[in-house]
Amino acid sequence: MTHNNPEYYAANQVDQDPYDVPLESIDVANPYLFAQDVHGPWFKRLRDEAPVHYCADSFFGPYWSVTRYEDIMQVDTSHEIFSSEPAITLRDADEDFPLPMFIAMDRPKHDEQRKVVSPVTGPANLRYFEPIIRERTIDVLDHLPVGEAFDWVDKVSIELTTRMLATLFDFPFEDRRKLTYWSDVSTAIPGMGLIETEDERRQEMLVCLEFFTGLWNERVNKPPANDLISMLAHGEATRNMPPVEYLGNLVLLIVGGNDTTRSTMSASVYALHNNPQQFDKLVSQPDLIDSMVAETIRWQTPLAHMRRRAKIDTELGGQQIKAGDKVVMWYVSGNRDERFMEKPDDFIIDRPDVRKHLSFGFGIHRCMGNRLAEMQLRILWEEILQRFKRIEVVQEPERTISSFVHGYTSLPVVLHPHHA
Ligand code: HEM
């Protein structure tokens, strides 16, 4: 069964040694394992002892965990066996308030809708965006306090990704923090911070829909433009969508472009602070920025998992999976699989095959914004290296309480400019 009590996980498991818990009782969906950054040894145990593992009871109901690189690849690319419907996170879709979105659809509807919006992150648009992103990055960096502590998550990671998102939607710039808020609300677990109940989430999401409906109505009567709302309003496969499907796809694009890139921006600062030799390597060889960005995306794995549902009875890693079972691909574990790479827990900016990580997924749902995210990160680091000789992390970060969004809620830093 699925449990409704938000206290379900509070004191559970987190302080225990994973090797003291019977294998069958392990439940890696516990959001506190991630918030307290202790999930690593739990996944290592599963990879070694039960790479396709059944958890019979959890807050999210029963589910299978797939934790090795090769098995995850197999699930992610076997679309005829594993469905993305009706939801791609452990949390089930709200039956009274379903939010259809193309990441949680199978073929052919997925392909038709993805085709409508994919040009927004295509090569031509990326060329168009590059100078805009650089200008905004410079503006944010040049207005940061120097020599005193501030929160990198709020002042840089959130600010830059929100500006980018506002650009993709051609969203009123002064209202851009609404996007951050709706992104956070849509992934929050009721009772664990931002919202108290599912009902509250619905109310907030309806406010989001109302705002975006105003923008749709403006654009649908104008010639097609390059922003996401115009693309949806004019696209053949999307222009007659019911309002909830418009909302669902908005949530997808807001969360897709927001939390993930935000976490990577914070992770890059944190990882380079804790690995000064890697930072020195980057300073002496700035052409390693692209590779450092890919390594950060692997090392952080901004989305810890994607979930599928078995369409038919099937076998995986010697386990019998039944039609209807939830199957969770833990990218956060596959990216640390010792069978797939050497020293997976280390942050090594010039790793061979650095882009072969799982963080963007594989198959028909492979991330649509990966090139855009990498470009944002590259520009950020090109501009950081011009200005600062060091970004010092002065306090351990606080982390998101979630087993889906793997990120940071605060990261206090002090900047040390080249010419102090
Ligand atoms: C470092 C940053 C990012 C990470 C780690 C990330 C990760 C992911 C993952 C894991 C998936 C699902 C893959 C699968 O199921 O196989 C996905 C899909 C998606 N991402 Fe990203 N993403 C990032 C940035 C972005 C950005 C900037 C956008 C903005 C447009 C975006 C838009 C999407 C969309 C629309 C999908 C759904 C694709 C589909 O279902 O066909 N992502 N992303």
Side-chain angles (χ1 to χ4, degrees):
M1 63 174 279
T2 308
H3 300 269
N4 288 320
N5 176 8
E7 303 295 307
Y8 182 84
Y9 281 123
N12 198 11
Q13 280 195 351
V14 168
D15 298 328
Q16 288 170 292
D17 181 328
Y19 291 89
D20 289 343
V21 176
L23 252 188
E24 63 276 12
S25 308
I26 289 184
D27 175 8
V28 280
N30 182 345
Y32 290 100
L33 290 173
F34 299 86
Q36 298 183 19
D37 197 31
V38 293
H39 56 282
W42 294 86
F43 282 109
K44 176 160 176 38
R45 180 159 185 223
L46 290 190
R47 282 194 304 275
D48 290 345
E49 297 178 29
V52 179
H53 169 265
Y54 190 65
C55 173
D57 189 22
S58 87
F59 182 70
F60 308 97
Y63 66 94
W64 291 94
S65 282
V66 184
T67 50
R68 285 190 189 167
Y69 184 95
E70 291 294 338
D71 292 334
I72 292 172
M73 271 293 226
Q74 190 179 332
V75 174
D76 219 356
T77 51
S78 303
H79 309 292
E80 62 299 341
I81 301 176
F82 298 103
S83 167
S84 296
E85 297 179 2
I88 47 77
T89 64
L90 262 161
R91 179 157 60 86
D92 284 309
D94 183 349
E95 278 173 22
D96 303 329
F97 192 65
L99 281 183
M101 53 180 87
F102 67 84
I103 197 171
M105 289 176 193
D106 294 336
R107 281 176 159 151
K109 199 167 171 188
H110 160 270
D111 298 17
E112 289 158 13
Q113 294 204 347
R114 176 174 168 131
K115 212 166 122 202
V116 171
V117 287
S118 59
V120 82
T121 49
N125 255 20
L126 291 193
R127 275 194 300 279
Y128 166 77
F129 284 140
E130 177 152 3
I132 302 174
I133 294 175
R134 191 174 300 279
E135 195 189 300
R136 292 184 172 166
T137 306
I138 291 173
D139 181 49
V140 167
L141 292 181
D142 283 349
H143 287 92
L144 292 174
V146 168
E148 63 181 76
F150 69 91
D151 182 10
W152 183 266
V153 173
D154 182 60
K155 284 216 164 10
V156 182
S157 310
I158 292 184
E159 188 53 31
L160 280 179
T161 43
T162 305
R163 285 181 185 211
M164 184 68 241
L165 209 51
T167 311
L168 288 181
F169 283 116
D170 196 6
F171 190 87
F173 210 59
E174 60 291 354
D175 285 327
R176 62 188 181 276
R177 286 274 169 151
K178 287 188 199 297
L179 294 170
T180 320
Y181 176 69
W182 291 325
S183 173
D184 290 345
V185 167
S186 70
T187 56
I189 299 176
M192 291 193 185
L194 203 57
I195 45 156
E196 287 309 312
T197 60
E198 277 299 339
D199 207 44
E200 204 182 323
R201 186 206 310 281
R202 266 176 237 174
Q203 295 311 322
E204 295 299 332
M205 291 288 86
L206 288 175
V207 175
C208 170
L209 176 60
E210 195 184 325
F211 198 98
F212 271 97
T213 303
L215 299 176
W216 173 293
N217 292 340
E218 266 170 30
R219 313 233 168 126
V220 74
N221 296 317
K222 290 188 182 158
N226 275 352
D227 65 90
L228 277 167
I229 301 170
S230 178
M231 284 178 182
L232 289 169
H234 291 276
E236 194 162 321
T238 48
R239 66 179 169 223
N240 294 319
M241 280 186 293
V244 284
E245 201 164 317
Y246 178 41
L247 180 60
N249 278 319
L250 288 170
V251 169
L252 163 61
L253 295 160
I254 294 173
V255 176
N258 203 16
D259 283 336
T260 50
T261 316
R262 183 205 294 186
S263 306
T264 313
M265 288 181 176
S266 305
S268 61
V269 168
Y270 185 56
L272 286 165
H273 169 86
N274 285 327
N275 295 276
Q277 284 176 342
Q278 300 297 315
F279 182 68
D280 291 347
K281 209 188 299 179
L282 185 69
V283 170
S284 59
Q285 297 176 67
D287 56 340
L288 285 176
I289 288 179
D290 281 335
S291 166
M292 179 278 287
V293 167
E295 174 66 349
T296 306
I297 293 170
R298 176 197 73 85
W299 180 84
Q300 177 63 26
T301 317
L303 295 180
H305 76 261
M306 283 281 154
R307 183 259 270 213
R308 299 292 185 256
R309 190 173 283 281
K311 288 190 197 177
I312 49 171
D313 291 355
T314 187
E315 196 211 293
L316 184 73
Q319 300 292 327
Q320 299 303 319
I321 295 178
K322 295 245 163 358
D325 285 357
K326 277 186 188 180
V327 178
V328 179
M329 301 176 284
W330 290 104
Y331 295 143
V332 76
S333 168
N335 276 339
R336 300 291 179 104
D337 186 352
E338 314 65 9
R339 292 148 200 86
F340 157 67
M341 66 164 57
E342 284 176 26
K343 298 190 183 159
D345 288 331
D346 292 359
F347 180 77
I348 304 172
I349 66 168
D350 51 355
R351 253 183 209 286
D353 291 335
V354 71
R355 295 177 59 90
K356 272 194 172 168
H357 57 71
L358 292 165
S359 300
F360 292 126
F362 280 94
I364 62 167
H365 292 282
R366 184 168 166 82
C367 178
M368 206 188 83
N370 57 348
R371 295 287 175 186
L372 174 62
E374 288 170 344
M375 186 169 88
Q376 285 177 266
L377 261 297
R378 168 174 60 77
I379 293 172
L380 174 63
W381 275 96
E382 284 169 357
E383 298 302 328
I384 287 176
L385 292 183
Q386 300 261 329
R387 285 164 179 72
F388 308 114
K389 63 174 184 271
R390 197 155 73 92
I391 303 178
E392 183 190 0
V393 173
V394 290
Q395 218 177 299
E396 277 302 294
E398 284 177 21
R399 296 161 194 273
T400 317
I401 307 174
S402 169
S403 48
F404 178 61
V405 172
H406 186 214
Y408 305 83
T409 52
S410 83
L411 180 66
V413 300
V414 171
L415 297 177
H416 299 276
H418 284 300
H419 310 290

